[in-house]
Amino acid sequence: MTWIVTGGAGFIGGHVVHLLSRRHHVVVFDDLSTGRPDRLPPDVPVVKGSVTDPDELDKLFEQHPAAGVVHLAARKTALEDAPYRSHNVEGTGNLLTAMARAGVGRLLFASSAAVYGDTGRTPVAEGQPRRPVNPYGVTKDEGERLIAEHGDGRLRSLALRQFNVIGAGTHPYAADTGAASLLPAVFRALTDGTELVVRGGDYPTPDGSAVRDYVHVEDVARAYLRGVALLGGRSWQPSRQAVNIGSGRPTSVLDIVRIAGRVAGAELPFRTGERRPGDAAAVIADVGRAERMGFRARRTVEDAVASAWASWRRPAG
C-alpha cells in the first residue's frame, strides 16, 4: 500500500516518513524549498514538485498510484497572507482535486493549534469555536473546511491539529532548523554566544512569557502512523474529522530557555522583546479525544529539548 507524503522532506515530514516507511511504501512529494532529501531513508522515492502546480500533482498520482496522502506541505514563515494562501489553501484545493481525479480516498492533514486563536482559556478541545488570529492559522482553518466539504462523503479524512512540535529523532539531519522556531533560536544563541530575544514578557501567565503545549516530534510521527491506521480501518468515524496532537502539559517559553540551558550546561543570556502579533498568551491541548483514538504523548519536554540539542550538535555527514 503506497502513501504519498507531501512536504515529507521537512522537519516533521522526515520523522513521519521514517516511521511510516517501516510499514508502508512511501513516496515523498516536496518542492525542496525548505525540505532536505538527506532527512529521508535512502530507499524512499522523492518527487520534486509543488502542490501549487495541478499538472505536477496529476503526474504524481499517474506515476504513483496511492491508497492515501499525508499532507504536510505548507508555508509557515511568510510575513504576509498571500504566500500562505497560495500554498496552504490553494495548494490543498489542488491536492483534493487531483486526488479525486485519481480516485485516492484517504487524506491525513497536518493542521495546527493556530486554528483556535487566543481562546482565553485552556485546555482547548476540538469542538471549541475556531477563531485564528494570524495568517497561518487562518489558512489551516480554511484547509480543514475545504477538506470537510470535499468529496460527498467519499473521502476519508482526518486533521491532526499539531501543537508546538519540538525534539529530534536519532537519524542524521533530524534537527529543526526553522528560522521562526523557538528551539533553533535558543540553540543559535547558545552556540554563537548571542543574546536571545524572548517575544513578550507581559502575558497573564506565571512568568510573563507565553505558555504552550510542546510535544516531541517522534510522538507526533506516531500520531501520523495511528492516523493512517484509523483511515484504513473500521473504527474511523466521519464525525471526528479533527484531533489535537499535543502533550496536554503547559510549558512557558522561559521554561524552555531554562531547560535548554541545563541540557547544554550553559547559561543563556536573554532579553524580553515585544510580543509577536497574533500570539496567544496560552494554548494547551485537551488530549481526551486523541487518547480515545489510541494516541498519547510519551515523551517529556526535557526529553524533547535534550534530543533536539543532541541532533543540533551532531556533525553533518
Side-chain angles (χ1 to χ4, degrees), residues 6 23 51 64 109 134 142 161 163 166 173 233 248 260 277 289:
T6 71
R23 301 190 185 184
V51 292
H64 301 279
F109 177 57
N134 59 44
E142 292 187 23
R161 292 178 185 161
F163 280 64
I166 61 173
Y173 307 105
R289 179 178 292 183

Side-chain angles (χ1 to χ4, degrees), residues 126-206:
E126 292 86 352
Q128 191 160 320
R130 306 194 314 254
R131 299 188 180 97
V133 293
N134 59 44
Y136 176 69
V138 168
T139 59
K140 283 298 182 180
D141 182 43
E142 292 187 23
E144 283 196 31
R145 295 181 192 279
L146 274 177
I147 294 167
E149 295 166 0
H150 189 82
D152 299 324
R154 291 171 291 180
L155 178 69
R156 287 189 169 206
S157 65
L158 181 63
L160 303 189
R161 292 178 185 161
Q162 301 165 164
F163 280 64
N164 291 63
V165 184
I166 61 173
T170 57
H171 58 278
Y173 307 105
D176 180 9
T177 56
S181 300
L182 174 60
L183 272 184
V186 169
F187 293 158
R188 287 190 192 97
L190 281 167
T191 54
D192 297 345
T194 56
E195 187 179 55
L196 176 73
V197 178
V198 173
R199 301 297 296 273
D202 59 350
Y203 287 104
T205 60

Side-chain angles (χ1 to χ4, degrees), residues 257-280:
V257 170
R258 288 187 282 265
I259 293 168
R262 288 200 301 270
V263 166
E267 185 175 347
L268 175 60
F270 69 89
R271 64 180 175 84
T272 301
E274 294 183 357
R275 298 184 185 186
R276 289 191 308 187
D279 270 4

Side-chain angles (χ1 to χ4, degrees), residues 293-313:
M293 295 173 74
F295 170 76
R296 180 192 293 267
R298 299 172 180 171
R299 310 294 187 86
T300 66
V301 172
E302 289 77 9
D303 293 335
V305 174
S307 68
W309 177 242
S311 183
W312 183 270
R313 298 181 66 204

Side-chain angles (χ1 to χ4, degrees), residues 197-258:
V197 178
V198 173
R199 301 297 296 273
D202 59 350
Y203 287 104
T205 60
D207 63 16
S209 67
V211 171
R212 294 292 182 265
D213 185 327
Y214 294 95
V215 57
H216 198 299
V217 67
E218 290 196 326
D219 281 331
V220 173
R222 286 194 307 103
Y224 278 91
L225 190 64
R226 178 61 181 157
V228 164
L230 287 171
L231 290 177
R234 295 180 179 179
S235 61
W236 176 78
Q237 300 180 40
S239 61
R240 294 185 176 180
Q241 293 178 327
V243 60
N244 289 337
I245 302 300
S247 67
R249 298 183 291 268
T251 305
S252 75
V253 170
L254 290 183
D255 286 335
I256 292 290
V257 170
R258 288 187 282 265

